[in-house]
Amino acid sequence: MRYKLKGKKNIQQYCNEEEEEEEENPFAILYENVISDFEEIFTHYKMKEKNLLKYHKQKQNPLSNFPELVIYNIIIKIPAEYLQKYMCVCKLWHEIISTKKFIAQNFIHNITELLIVVKTYLHLKAISLRMDEKELDFKLEKLDFAGMRMRCIRSSCNGLVLIHDPKIEGKLNVINFLTKYMVKLPRCPYKKCGVALGFSLSTKEYKVVHMYANGFGYEIFTLGCSDNKWKCIPGPFKVPFEQLFNFNRFHWSDPVSIHGQVLHWYVSLKEYVISMDVNDETPRKTYLPTLGEEIDRKIYSLLEMGGYLSIVYNVSNIQIDVWILKDFAAQVWFKKLSILAKSINFTTLKIPSLPNKCKHSLPDFRKLVALSSLSNGEVIMFKHKTNTNYGCIYLYDIKHMELKRFALKIRGQSKVMPHRSNLICWKTKSELLPREYI
């Protein structure tokens, strides 16, 4: 049987199509195999690169595998001055350190240091003094004024510092030396006044309080307030005859601040000091304990000690008594300790200029002026009064009853105050108004 073909062209086309199919199949399979192998190789090296980057990341940040809570509890105990650098370690650390809750809790762990403002011929200098945790010693460090010269530190509260410019009367600023944030206050109209920065626990507000030069009123400025004005409050004396000291000779000094919540002004009297609770803004008289009929400003000092107002009373050349105001509202005092020359351990550093006969001799306790307390009230800093303008520094350890003399000398007009660093910052003044994290 014969079959009719439609044409030669169709036969050749049919044959050519079969030959093409037979020839293309091996190449197609090979191509698919190559593509598959390439994808496997690409995936392998991609995973290897990813694992390598993860390894280097973990190597640079060894805490990345720790839970966030563990990291939080570790870095919260790091001093605030170092946390400024650690914010750049990674995004997680930056988010943790920037929170208001972390800033408040880190502030509690920071160690209190002393700010010493030294007045020189040309300008003012400030240094920080921090106690050594292992022995009765300290470390000094220059304080950065954020590029500003001629600034005098007046008060410190929660890491914020109140400063003024001696060249411009009444110019006050509040600054955080660590974060470099600053608030400018409206000018104070009075030249000579005792001023301090406080914090109200009830309203969560920072306030600057200063006494009038004539002593018949206060002015209070609340940081972040809308009207940007000082508020006048009458007191502490309603009529002139209530004042028992001569205003012509008396000069209001900056008050002793008890954690910025209660302020105490010395008024050159043996009966009482003037106090103000920053919460209720009410001035009152705080009566001193009965220390003797001969008490005067030359033989006692007011300072903060362990969160309480303290009186360091120079009883004699061999005895110093320390009194604590345990209850401010009820005005209850008690004697914390007596420093007796016969029962202390006295040591001194090598001071070349000091005569050999004086190196191991106790100082006259009547010439020791208490400047401040450290280590939560366990150490008291004294300055020895001399005929010159400089005085040597003494540290007394209450627990070990050790008195130690240092070569550091402080000028008579120098100011010493406790300070604790804080990471608090703000973009606008209104952010300093009531907040929940303090």
Side-chain angles (χ1 to χ4, degrees), residues 160-409:
L160 301 182
V161 177
L162 178 67
I163 61 176
H164 88 274
D165 192 336
K167 291 186 176 181
I168 305 176
E169 293 181 354
K171 184 178 180 181
L172 297 169
N173 297 325
V174 175
I175 185 174
N176 186 336
F177 289 120
L178 192 60
T179 60
K180 312 302 182 186
Y181 282 78
M182 184 174 68
V183 173
K184 295 183 179 180
L185 276 64
R187 184 166 298 182
C188 170
Y190 298 94
K191 298 180 180 179
K192 297 180 179 179
C193 60
V195 64
L197 175 65
F199 180 76
S200 173
L201 287 176
S202 59
T203 61
K204 310 297 181 184
E205 294 173 328
Y206 287 95
K207 301 178 181 180
V208 178
V209 183
H210 81 81
M211 181 78 72
Y212 284 8
N214 58 11
F216 287 93
Y218 296 91
E219 276 197 333
I220 298 179
F221 180 81
T222 302
L223 270 64
C225 61
S226 57
D227 57 0
N228 200 40
K229 293 181 180 180
W230 291 88
K231 178 175 62 175
C232 297
I233 295 178
F237 308 107
K238 297 180 180 179
V239 290
F241 63 82
E242 286 189 2
Q243 63 184 44
L244 301 178
F245 47 92
N246 188 352
F247 270 110
N248 296 326
R249 297 181 180 180
F250 178 75
H251 169 67
W252 288 98
S253 58
D254 293 338
V256 176
S257 175
I258 310 301
H259 292 172
Q261 299 169 25
V262 182
L263 308 177
H264 301 277
W265 282 267
Y266 161 73
V267 289
S268 189
L269 293 175
K270 62 181 180 181
E271 290 86 5
Y272 61 83
V273 296
I274 298 299
S275 306
M276 171 182 278
D277 189 333
V278 179
N279 291 303
D280 56 24
E281 300 179 353
T282 302
R284 68 193 70 178
K285 297 177 182 178
T286 299
Y287 287 90
L288 303 178
T290 304
L291 303 179
E293 295 181 358
E294 300 299 328
I295 182 173
D296 57 35
R297 182 64 180 91
K298 297 179 181 179
I299 58 176
Y300 82 88
S301 304
L302 295 176
L303 60 122
E304 181 272 337
M305 182 178 291
Y308 301 97
L309 177 66
S310 172
I311 289 182
V312 181
Y313 175 44
N314 302 71
V315 179
S316 66
N317 61 338
I318 58 172
Q319 180 178 345
I320 296 176
D321 290 343
V322 179
W323 292 75
I324 299 294
L325 181 60
K326 195 66 177 179
D327 190 332
F328 171 67
Q331 299 196 12
V332 177
W333 293 85
F334 82 98
K335 185 189 289 188
K336 181 179 177 66
L337 74 148
S338 291
I339 304 174
L340 302 175
K342 62 180 181 181
S343 60
I344 65 173
N345 300 317
F346 178 66
T347 58
T348 180
L349 295 180
K350 295 181 179 180
I351 305 176
S353 60
L354 192 65
N356 292 329
K357 64 179 181 180
C358 298
K359 286 185 178 181
H360 302 286
S361 60
L362 280 171
D364 186 347
F365 281 11
R366 289 174 299 187
K367 295 183 178 180
L368 292 181
V369 180
L371 299 179
S372 184
S373 67
L374 294 137
S375 302
N376 197 28
E378 294 299 321
V379 176
I380 304 176
M381 172 183 281
F382 293 94
K383 185 185 74 170
H384 189 266
K385 291 189 299 184
T386 60
N387 295 329
T388 62
N389 197 25
Y390 290 90
C392 289
I393 291 299
Y394 290 82
L395 292 181
Y396 180 73
D397 188 331
I398 296 176
K399 183 178 180 180
H400 300 94
M401 294 189 296
E402 179 184 358
L403 181 67
K404 191 172 184 179
R405 175 173 179 160
F406 294 87
L408 176 66
K409 294 184 179 181

Side-chain angles (χ1 to χ4, degrees), residues 79-92:
E81 54 265 29
Y82 298 107
L83 288 176
Q84 288 283 86
K85 301 178 182 179
Y86 294 159
M87 292 181 69
C88 303
V89 171
C90 63
K91 185 178 180 180
L92 175 62

